[in-house]
């Protein structure tokens, strides 16, 4: 057990935001972090009010000032959680890494590949943690699925089908001026050049890569905006080729009427297939070639990686917040090791990192290029 709770700061996530509150719950769930400082909004009054609501003692009006002030304190923060709109991820992360503070950042990593690569380099130079919160890799059964593939239970992978469907942007809600989420996520100056692609396409891409252990070598893609006047894509579809000969498809859409948060993956190998549905994360389907579909449940799989990511006994559903908390738990293990100059604990190594973020940005770049060229096949720059 840790000797003390790690001190966490937060940038972004003030009133009206969604993901900041999720990070706060996730960070506190396993009692490894206490939230002590924040620059929760660029509006000083809102920052102060948001910090008070979240029980955060030190509120800053400016994240640059927060990085300096916290680095100078004996009881300054160990890590910062960055939950701002995408365009601020790189500048904020740079300031905190420069100040010697570990970083936990929401996805996508940055708004360009160059920014992402610079962050990866800086984190390595400073020897600081840079965790990227690809939530869905925190599920016990996602981790178990990865292990099944790694142990050869599926044979050679042939087909990867991944989709992420939501409907919350099916109408032009960003024009109301009152929906903060929709406002920044559909504004290219804040979200970057990728809309649905960056917001949820990167989750689908990361999930497929995490479970299969493979990233595609090339793709053919189309980005589309269904909602008239929308300045950014709200739908993406891609075909994928892998260097082992496997083929895949990835589509993500935020205009899929009726879909809530339907992130689904199917992987077919020469010996068996598996299927995972994020909306039912306590089960995983495994079906051998010519055999009967098997429903694996979180509480019953014999798996150390799943056990490490589990909190309550079999039959008691765990979900999104626990998956998110798992990333914070693994981050805490790594921060403690880094602070003590020790090797990272083996059980924490499935934590998604800045390199996963860079891979996501390479995917975004290839999709943007292919879509602009009417779906021409484009290489995905190797990592
Ligand atoms: C909105 O589309 C959103 O909140 C994403 O930004 C998150 O990353 C995803 O986990 C849920 O949906």
């Amino acid at each position: 057990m840790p000797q003390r709770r790690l001190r966490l700061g937060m940038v972004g996530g003030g009133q009206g935001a969604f993901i900041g509150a999720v990070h706060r719950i996730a960070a506190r769930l396993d009692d490894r972090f206490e939230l002590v400082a924040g620059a929760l909004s660029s509006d000083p009054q809102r920052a102060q009010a948001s910090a008070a609501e979240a029980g955060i003692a030190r509120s800053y009006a400016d994240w640059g000032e927060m990085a300096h002030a916290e680095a100078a304190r004996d009881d300054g923060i160990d890590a910062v959680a960055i939950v701002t709109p995408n365009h601020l991820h790189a500048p904020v992360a740079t300031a905190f890494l420069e100040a010697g503070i570990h970083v936990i950042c929401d996805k996508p990593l940055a708004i360009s590949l160059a920014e992402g690569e610079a962050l990866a380099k800086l984190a390595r130079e400073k020897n600081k943690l840079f965790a990227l919160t690809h939530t869905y890799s925190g599920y016990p059964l996602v981790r178990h699925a990865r292990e099944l593939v790694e142990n050869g239970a599926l044979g050679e992978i042939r087909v990867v089908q991944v989709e992420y469907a939501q409907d919350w942007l099916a109408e032009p809600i960003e024009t109301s001026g009152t929906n903060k989420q929709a406002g920044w996520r559909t504004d290219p100056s804040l979200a970057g050049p990728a809309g649905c692609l960056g917001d949820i396409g990167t989750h689908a891409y990361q999930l497929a890569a995490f479970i299969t252990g493979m990233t595609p070598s090339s793709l053919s893609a189309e980005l589309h905006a269904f909602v008239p006047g929308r300045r950014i894509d709200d739908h993406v579809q891609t075909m994928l080729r892998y260097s082992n000969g496997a083929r895949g498809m990835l589509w993500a859409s935020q205009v899929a009427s009726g879909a809530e948060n339907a992130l689904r993956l199917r992987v077919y190998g020469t010996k068996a297939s598996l299927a995972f549905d994020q909306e039912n994360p306590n089960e995983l389907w495994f079906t051998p070639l010519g055999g009967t579909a098997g429903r694996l449940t979180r509480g019953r799989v014999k798996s150390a990686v799943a056990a490490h990511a589990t909190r309550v006994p079999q039959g008691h559903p765990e979900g999104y917040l626990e998956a998110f908390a798992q990333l914070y738990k693994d981050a805490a293990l790594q921060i403690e090791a880094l602070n003590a100059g020790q090797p990272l604990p083996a059980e924490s190594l499935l934590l998604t990192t800045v390199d996963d973020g860079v891979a996501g940005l390479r995917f975004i770049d290839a999709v943007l290029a292919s879509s602009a060229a009417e779906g021409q096949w484009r290489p995905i720059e190797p990592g």
Side-chain angles (χ1 to χ4, degrees):
M1 283 304 288
Q3 290 166 356
R4 64 168 174 87
R5 285 189 193 156
L6 294 167
R7 289 182 288 269
L8 183 70
M10 177 169 278
V11 177
Q15 290 163 335
F18 155 64
I19 208 70
V22 172
H23 278 254
R24 290 196 286 273
I25 296 167
R28 288 161 166 161
L29 197 70
D30 292 312
D31 278 335
R32 299 223 170 215
F33 289 95
E34 56 178 330
L35 197 52
V36 297
L40 268 56
S41 169
S42 49
D43 168 338
Q45 270 178 352
R46 188 193 280 261
Q48 184 70 51
S50 307
E53 265 176 30
I56 296 175
R58 299 193 287 277
S59 173
Y60 296 86
D62 176 88
W63 48 262
E65 180 204 335
M66 173 173 157
H68 284 118
E70 289 295 320
R73 294 177 69 105
D74 288 341
D75 64 349
I77 56 172
D78 296 280
V80 66
I82 302 173
V83 294
T84 62
N86 306 341
H87 72 302
L88 287 175
H89 289 179
V92 176
T94 303
F96 282 85
L97 287 173
E98 293 285 7
I101 293 168
H102 302 284
V103 169
I104 299 167
C105 184
D106 210 76
K107 45 49 51 184
L109 174 60
I111 58 170
S112 74
L113 179 56
E115 270 187 2
E117 286 174 337
L119 286 176
K121 184 164 173 277
L122 185 60
R124 263 189 282 282
E125 280 166 14
K126 299 283 177 189
N127 195 28
K128 293 294 159 198
L129 170 89
F130 197 126
L132 193 75
T133 50
H134 272 302
T135 327
Y136 307 105
S137 57
Y139 282 122
L141 287 176
V142 164
R143 292 180 170 202
H144 182 60
R146 176 193 166 97
E147 201 172 60
L148 286 174
V149 174
E150 205 171 58
N151 292 344
L154 272 70
E156 179 81 6
I157 301 300
R158 286 180 166 161
V159 181
V160 180
Q161 292 285 129
V162 63
E163 65 189 54
Y164 196 158
Q166 297 180 333
D167 71 359
W168 70 284
L169 285 173
E171 291 179 318
I173 55 172
E174 65 270 34
T175 56
S176 71
T178 55
N179 189 321
K180 214 175 149 184
Q181 290 300 311
W184 77 257
R185 286 179 206 274
T186 57
D187 179 346
S189 70
L190 306 177
C196 169
L197 169 63
D199 189 31
I200 60 172
T202 51
H203 273 313
Y205 186 74
Q206 190 275 332
L207 184 73
F210 184 83
I211 289 184
T212 63
M214 312 189 308
T215 51
S217 49
S218 59
L219 59 74
S220 161
E222 183 183 12
L223 287 167
H224 188 63
F226 277 99
V227 171
R230 185 161 280 159
R231 291 176 292 158
I232 207 161
D233 64 279
D234 51 28
H235 178 96
V236 53
Q237 50 198 38
T238 73
M239 291 194 290
L240 310 169
R241 287 180 186 154
Y242 292 84
S243 54
N244 74 336
R247 296 292 188 266
M249 291 170 77
L250 176 156
W251 70 272
S253 184
Q254 293 180 311
V255 300
S257 298
E260 294 184 2
N261 200 47
L263 171 59
R264 295 181 183 142
L265 173 80
R266 283 168 293 157
V267 183
Y268 300 87
T270 48
K271 295 204 294 200
S273 64
L274 57 79
F276 177 76
D277 173 357
Q278 189 283 144
E279 291 178 341
N280 291 305
N282 290 273
E283 67 179 34
L284 171 72
W285 291 87
F286 178 83
T287 312
L289 172 65
T292 309
R295 179 174 169 269
L296 310 181
T297 58
R298 197 207 71 222
R300 293 280 165 95
V301 290
K302 303 269 174 290
S303 160
V305 290
H308 172 65
T310 291
R311 286 159 188 77
V312 293
Q314 56 185 13
H316 296 74
E318 289 193 355
Y320 177 69
L321 293 173
E322 287 89 347
F324 221 114
Q326 187 57 35
L327 305 185
Y328 271 91
K329 181 172 161 186
D330 289 335
L333 290 170
Q334 295 197 3
I335 291 170
E336 282 155 9
L338 286 166
N339 287 353
Q342 285 168 1
L344 303 182
E347 68 273 23
S348 73
L349 294 179
L350 292 182
L351 177 62
T352 35
T353 68
V354 70
D355 295 321
D356 297 303
V358 172
L361 294 171
R362 291 188 207 287
F363 168 66
I364 288 179
D365 262 16
V367 171
L368 291 170
S370 171
S371 184
E374 296 293 336
Q376 259 180 31
W377 283 88
R378 291 291 160 127
I380 302 176
E381 214 185 292

